[in-house]
Amino acid sequence: MAVCEGREVIRMLVYIAALGVMMAGIYAITMKDNIIKKLLGLSVMSNGIHVFLIALGYREGGVMPIMQDLDFQRFSMTAVDPIPQALVMTSIVINLSVLALGLSISIILYRRFGTLDSGKIRELRG
């Protein structure tokens, strides 16, 4: 019983750590004025979401979600849920594209306005 409770505590700590990483990303997005810092905050926040989704799909003693025998009952009780893993892999590719696009837009903004401070860019826009 104590081992089971210890694993549940570790699982809750993973959820809390994922929430902390998400909150750090939200802080960077909302409180920082530099566009690069906002983009990095967005990336950090999405990584926290990825950790949370992977932790949701984890099953202690789980097996790969590839059915090799015909015992569906046993397979359904032991297989790890593949949906969070697939969603996270897709999200990683999308986040990389968004980050690359954001960085390229920030290069254009710096060339045009000479700064990456979002408040100053609003003032310079006129």
Side-chain angles (χ1 to χ4, degrees):
M1 184 75 178
V3 173
C4 184
E5 290 175 1
R7 290 180 181 157
E8 291 174 9
V9 168
I10 291 173
R11 192 171 193 153
M12 288 302 295
L13 288 175
V14 170
Y15 291 147
I16 291 170
L19 181 66
V21 171
M22 284 187 278
M23 295 302 292
I26 290 172
Y27 170 78
I29 292 170
T30 57
M31 297 302 197
K32 300 296 180 183
D33 286 333
N34 192 326
I35 293 174
I36 302 292
K37 290 180 183 177
K38 286 181 183 274
L39 287 171
L40 290 177
L42 182 67
S43 179
V44 167
M45 183 186 69
S46 66
N47 287 334
I49 294 170
H50 295 159
V51 169
F52 179 71
L53 287 175
I54 292 296
L56 280 179
Y58 177 74
R59 179 179 284 176
E60 183 70 32
V63 297
M64 293 183 296
I66 300 170
M67 190 166 174
Q68 297 174 351
D69 55 358
L70 298 177
D71 188 9
F72 185 74
Q73 183 72 20
R74 186 176 62 97
F75 174 75
S76 66
M77 297 301 289
T78 59
V80 175
D81 188 12
I83 300 297
Q85 296 173 11
L87 287 173
V88 167
M89 288 176 57
T90 305
S91 178
I92 288 171
V93 173
I94 292 170
N95 287 331
L96 182 64
S97 323
V98 167
L99 185 62
L101 180 67
L103 289 174
S104 62
I105 290 173
S106 66
I107 290 172
I108 294 169
L109 284 172
Y110 185 76
R111 286 181 183 165
R112 178 173 172 142
F113 295 108
T115 184
L116 289 175
D117 190 354
S118 58
K120 290 181 182 177
I121 289 174
R122 274 190 231 120
E123 292 172 7
L124 292 173
R125 190 177 62 176

